Amino acid sequence: MTDPDEQAVVTVATASVAETEAVAETLARVLPAGGVTVGLSGPLGAGKTSFTRGLAAGLGVDTSLVASPTFLYLTDYPGRGRIVHHADLYRLLELSGADAAAAYESIGLSAVLDGDSVCVVEWWDHYQGPAPAALVRVEFTIENAEHRRLFVVFQTSDCERAAETFRAELLASGLTTAG
Ligand SMILES: Nc1ncnc2c1ncn2[C@@H]1O[C@H](COP(=O)(O)OP(=O)(O)OP(=O)(O)O)[C@@H](O)[C@H]1O
Ligand SMILES: [Mg+2]
């Protein structure tokens, strides 16, 4: 397992949905091979589902399939080589204790995490299971109606190198990084 203390952060600013999708599509190109979890956190309407759509596009998924799974909890999309699982833990917020644990188990996320697929999880801050072997966290903040700041935290093996490659690819695509 990757040392959870070992991480590398890339900060990106976006000024539109299209830019948030482009950041995610770029991330798809630098994700490690095999199983990886992408945990998205941030307030309502921050852009988590938009980011998922961009990431899915980068992984060869037909993006017309990608909607917010808030009431379904977990959806699967066939991607290029890898399945993409899309989960939304928002409704776990309403539950506590044993109810939250039972609801978490019923989602089925624990069965697919750390497999060979890409698991994208909205409301990652509500995740209750063990730390995934390879994790990229994306924390969103809303600056105003159109601007978002994304903190992309690589908690993967060779995370410094992954972050460096991601930064270079973002710059090559004209996206604005800040550290
Ligand atoms: N820079 C931006 N990036 C992403 N979305 C943006 C941006 N600027 C404005 N938006 C708007 O913010 C909203 C983001 O919606 P989205 O469903 O992606 O958010 P979410 O974080 O998944 O919300 P929820 O918490 O309800 O799941 C959309 O209405 C989109 O048009
Ligand atoms: Mg959403």
Side-chain angles (χ1 to χ4, degrees), residues 49 68 88 122:
T49 302
S68 179
D88 192 312
E122 297 192 43

Side-chain angles (χ1 to χ4, degrees), residues 13-21 40 42-53 68-70 88 90 122-123 140 142 144-150:
T14 72
S16 65
V17 185
E19 278 192 8
T20 294
E21 289 185 5
L40 311 179
L44 279 170
K48 301 179 292 296
T49 302
S50 309
F51 190 93
T52 304
R53 195 168 294 117
S68 179
T70 301
D88 192 312
Y90 179 67
E122 297 192 43
W123 294 95
F140 294 74
I142 301 179
N144 58 38
E146 272 133 33
H147 291 80
R148 305 288 187 266
R149 191 165 285 268
L150 280 57

Side-chain angles (χ1 to χ4, degrees), residues 1 12 23 26-27 32-33 47 56 59 70 84 91 93 97 128 135 138 147 152 158-160 170 174 178:
M1 175 169 308
V12 201
V23 169
T26 304
L27 178 66
L59 294 166
T70 301
V84 179
R91 291 206 301 165
L93 181 68
Q128 314 203 352
L135 173 65
V138 185
H147 291 80
V152 182
D158 214 0
C159 56
E160 285 294 349
L170 288 169

Side-chain angles (χ1 to χ4, degrees), residues 118-134:
V118 178
C119 293
V120 190
V121 184
E122 297 192 43
W123 294 95
W124 177 249
D125 36 325
H126 298 169
Y127 174 71
Q128 314 203 352

Side-chain angles (χ1 to χ4, degrees), residues 19-80:
E19 278 192 8
T20 294
E21 289 185 5
V23 169
E25 199 162 343
T26 304
L27 178 66
R29 292 206 293 273
V30 305
L31 281 181
V36 58
T37 300
V38 180
L40 311 179
S41 55
L44 279 170
K48 301 179 292 296
T49 302
S50 309
F51 190 93
T52 304
R53 195 168 294 117
L55 194 75
L59 294 166
V61 170
D62 170 1
T63 54
S64 69
L65 299 173
V66 181
S68 179
T70 301
F71 298 103
L72 289 172
Y73 287 130
L74 183 64
T75 321
D76 304 341
Y77 316 122
R80 197 189 311 108

